[in-house]
Amino acid sequence: MGTKPSIPKGTRDFSPTEMAKRNYIFNTIRDVFYLFGFQQIETPAMENLSSLTGKYGEEGDKLLFKVLDSGNFLSDVTDEELLKRDPIKLGRHICEKGLRYDLTVPFARYVVVHREEIDFPFKRFQIQPVWRADRPQKGRYREFYQCDADIVGSDSLMNEIDLIQMIDTVFRKFKVRVCIKINHRKILSGIAEIIGEPDKMVDITVAIDKLDKVGLENVNAELASKGISPKAIEQLQPIILLRGTNGEKFEKLKEVFAESETGRKGLGDCEFLLNAVDGLDIQNQVELDLTLARGLNYYTGTIFEVKALDVEIGSVSGGGRYDNLTGVFGMPGISGVGISFGADRIYDVLNQLDAYPKETVDGTQILFVNFGEKEAAYCLSVLTTLRRRGIRAELYPDAAKIKKQMSYADSKKIPYVVIVGENEMNAGKLTVKNMISGEQRLLTLDEWLGYIMQ
């Protein structure tokens, strides 16, 4: 026997049971998106590399999957360029397309391309796979689905309130406790200002964003390696380690940002949001987290990250406001804000918590045993009636031994088996076996319908 074929690392096959669970996730999130007035679009798996590069920062660009040009893609490459073996420069010659890294940048491109057809503010959602050439590890895959919702064409903080409510609604439906963390890029800019390192804002945010993962000592070491002065690092400590209620944090930060207009603006936005959601029956925790930075360069205002409280895993949702993203596609001045639900991580969380409703993975409810051509024809008529009533039913396709057909029902966890032989057809009844209790009952179709639909 030959070697089994394999799939690329960081990708997965999904069984029927796994797909039932994943569809439960997608359908739940989709229903909430519709509930909040969002409309669905789709964009291609491949985008022109010119649309993707330069939008995610240097690290993000390295994780783009590039697609070789069709035909003789080496025709314009010189021998000298080949011998240099420079993958970045060579890639510019032989790759014009790439797999999308996320759904936000393709959405920005979509808005620019279709601006004459869009009514603003435009509330869109997408549920599609994305690809990243990352090192696979627990909770991190090279191919995974994102469930994105964005509002563009409005800079109102009412949009952020909508998104917080939407996050809360999704995880309430999943019965998963989460903490919704919020911060603001202007708060981060203000922090860089008051410690005397305004030009190092990106280096500071990249470092402090890792606090939960690597600890304070390693964060400080990274800050020092980026040329940030010991005095600035010392000034940063009480800020990033600030604890207490949201109200206590705001009172302290108002003092901290007394000399930073930028910081005060970000703080004011976050205080408005947290005060607003206080009266909205938000069941999940909403917390101001000054270490939250998010790695993507295009965020300019409020930023969000959602952590599951009962499972050790990375963020299960995140996003923020981006005021300048469409500008790189020639359409400046369009503000947007959005969030992305990580379907694959939510899948892992629900698996660990065993939080799927029982009906999520229910398959066929009734299997009809096949005794032969005449009996099968009779069963098909009954099957049609059941399916029209929304009952999931199937007929075993072959007149195999009954033991084999019963084993099939067991393997698929089908709760009821219907046996129709000569006696049942003559009496106009069905013999129904409960595969869990072993009980058998002889019923008319109407009696059976009343029983199964209780």
Side-chain angles (χ1 to χ4, degrees):
M1 184 175 176
T3 304
K4 283 185 178 180
S6 62
I7 59 176
K9 288 183 179 178
T11 64
R12 294 166 293 170
D13 290 325
F14 294 102
S15 69
T17 298
E18 289 167 329
M19 280 308 305
K21 292 178 177 180
R22 287 170 66 81
N23 285 332
Y24 164 69
I25 293 169
F26 295 140
N27 292 338
T28 300
I29 294 172
R30 184 183 291 109
D31 288 347
V32 174
F33 285 162
Y34 280 128
L35 188 65
F36 281 77
F38 289 79
Q39 297 174 293
Q40 188 170 14
I41 67 165
E42 288 196 352
T43 58
M46 286 188 299
E47 294 275 351
N48 291 324
L49 278 175
S50 58
S51 295
L52 300 175
T53 52
K55 313 303 188 304
Y56 307 105
E58 185 178 344
E59 288 303 310
D61 283 353
K62 291 177 182 176
L63 300 181
L64 290 173
F65 272 112
K66 299 174 178 65
V67 179
L68 286 174
D69 293 341
S70 302
N72 185 7
F73 51 83
L74 292 175
S75 59
D76 295 328
V77 181
T78 65
D79 291 344
E80 182 183 359
E81 287 168 330
L82 280 174
L83 289 171
K84 285 182 178 177
R85 299 178 184 274
D86 186 327
I88 295 176
K89 289 184 178 178
L90 199 57
R92 292 175 189 148
H93 288 289
I94 63 178
C95 302
E96 292 180 352
K97 298 175 288 295
L99 298 180
R100 58 172 174 249
Y101 177 95
D102 72 352
L103 298 178
T104 306
V105 169
F107 171 54
R109 191 266 312 149
Y110 176 95
V111 170
V112 174
V113 171
H114 298 277
R115 55 188 156 190
E116 302 302 328
E117 310 156 28
I118 292 174
D119 293 319
F120 294 102
F122 180 40
K123 301 173 75 171
R124 88 78 171 87
F125 77 87
Q126 281 177 262
I127 299 177
Q128 290 185 270
V130 299
W131 294 267
R132 296 182 185 178
D134 209 347
R135 183 173 65 86
Q137 53 187 292
K138 181 178 173 59
R140 187 182 295 273
Y141 307 99
R142 286 176 171 164
E143 178 187 58
F144 56 97
Y145 269 76
Q146 286 186 336
C147 307
D148 281 20
D150 290 79
I151 308 160
V152 295
S154 168
D155 58 8
S156 170
L157 287 173
M158 293 297 155
N159 298 318
E160 276 88 338
I161 293 171
D162 245 16
L163 296 181
I164 292 171
Q165 286 186 283
M166 195 155 65
I167 293 167
D168 182 65
T169 303
V170 165
F171 288 102
R172 283 166 69 170
K173 286 180 175 289
F174 287 140
K175 295 181 172 58
V176 171
R177 296 190 316 122
V178 297
C179 177
I180 305 168
K181 296 175 178 284
I182 74 165
N183 200 5
H184 203 290
R185 289 306 286 253
K186 285 185 171 63
I187 289 179
L188 295 168
S189 296
I191 291 172
E193 283 180 18
I194 63 174
I195 66 172
E197 299 280 4
D199 296 334
K200 298 281 189 177
M201 196 271 278
V202 172
D203 290 332
I204 292 168
T205 57
V206 168
I208 67 175
D209 197 37
K210 301 172 185 174
L211 184 64
D212 286 346
K213 302 180 186 73
V214 303
L216 184 61
E217 187 176 335
N218 288 320
V219 167
N220 289 339
E222 182 173 337
L223 291 167
S225 73
K226 297 296 184 181
I228 295 164
S229 71
K231 181 182 178 182
I233 294 174
E234 184 181 349
Q235 288 177 294
L236 187 61
Q237 305 307 293
I239 300 172
I240 63 174
L241 295 176
L242 187 60
R243 297 292 182 266
T245 65
N246 291 327
E248 289 167 346
K249 290 176 184 177
F250 284 126
E251 289 307 309
K252 177 63 176 175
L253 289 170
K254 285 173 184 176
E255 298 174 16
V256 170
F257 290 133
E259 304 299 322
S260 172
E261 183 180 349
T262 300
R264 290 197 304 275
K265 173 64 171 72
L267 194 63
D269 285 355
C270 288
E271 189 171 25
F272 173 84
L273 290 176
L274 288 168
N275 286 339
V277 301
D278 268 351
L280 296 177
D281 189 32
I282 301 293
Q283 291 191 3
N284 285 290
Q285 181 182 346
V286 185
E287 174 191 329
L288 178 67
D289 183 349
L290 301 182
T291 66
L292 175 59
R294 305 286 299 167
L296 301 180
N297 284 351
Y298 50 66
Y299 292 126
T300 57
T302 315
I303 46 182
F304 305 96
E305 192 160 274
V306 182
K307 299 276 188 171
L309 295 178
D310 300 315
V311 172
E312 287 293 327
I313 200 167
S315 63
V316 291
S317 181
R321 179 165 288 279
Y322 44 89
D323 286 331
N324 306 315
L325 192 61
T326 54
V328 299
F329 294 116
M331 190 178 177
I334 300 294
S335 182
V337 62
I339 55 170
S340 176
F341 292 91
D344 293 274
R345 286 191 176 177
I346 292 172
Y347 174 87
D348 289 342
V349 168
L350 293 178
N351 273 343
Q352 289 185 54
L353 297 177
D354 193 21
Y356 292 97
K358 179 183 177 297
E359 60 271 17
T360 298
V361 293
D362 283 349
T364 300
Q365 295 169 277
I366 303 166
L367 174 71
F368 282 75
V369 170
N370 188 336
F371 283 130
E373 188 174 332
K374 184 170 62 173
E375 292 86 351
Y378 183 91
C379 289
L380 283 175
S381 175
V382 181
L383 267 173
T384 301
T385 301
L386 292 175
R387 287 168 176 166
R388 284 175 179 168
R389 299 291 186 95
I391 297 169
R392 302 183 297 278
E394 62 178 288
L395 170 70
Y396 196 83
D398 305 305
K401 291 182 179 179
I402 188 141
K403 183 179 179 181
K404 183 176 182 180
Q405 298 188 50
M406 290 296 187
S407 295
Y408 175 82
D410 275 335
S411 67
K412 290 190 69 175
K413 295 182 170 54
I414 299 172
Y416 297 102
V417 169
V418 172
I419 300 167
V420 177
E422 191 76 34
N423 292 338
E424 284 84 3
M425 287 191 295
N426 290 337
K429 294 188 176 183
L430 313 166
T431 296
V432 181
K433 180 173 182 178
N434 184 317
M435 295 295 286
I436 298 170
S437 67
E439 177 190 14
Q440 286 194 185
R441 300 177 69 177
L442 185 65
L443 302 167
T444 66
L445 179 57
D446 285 342
E447 288 171 338
W448 171 233
L449 284 170
Y451 175 73
I452 193 69
M453 297 187 77
Q454 285 179 351

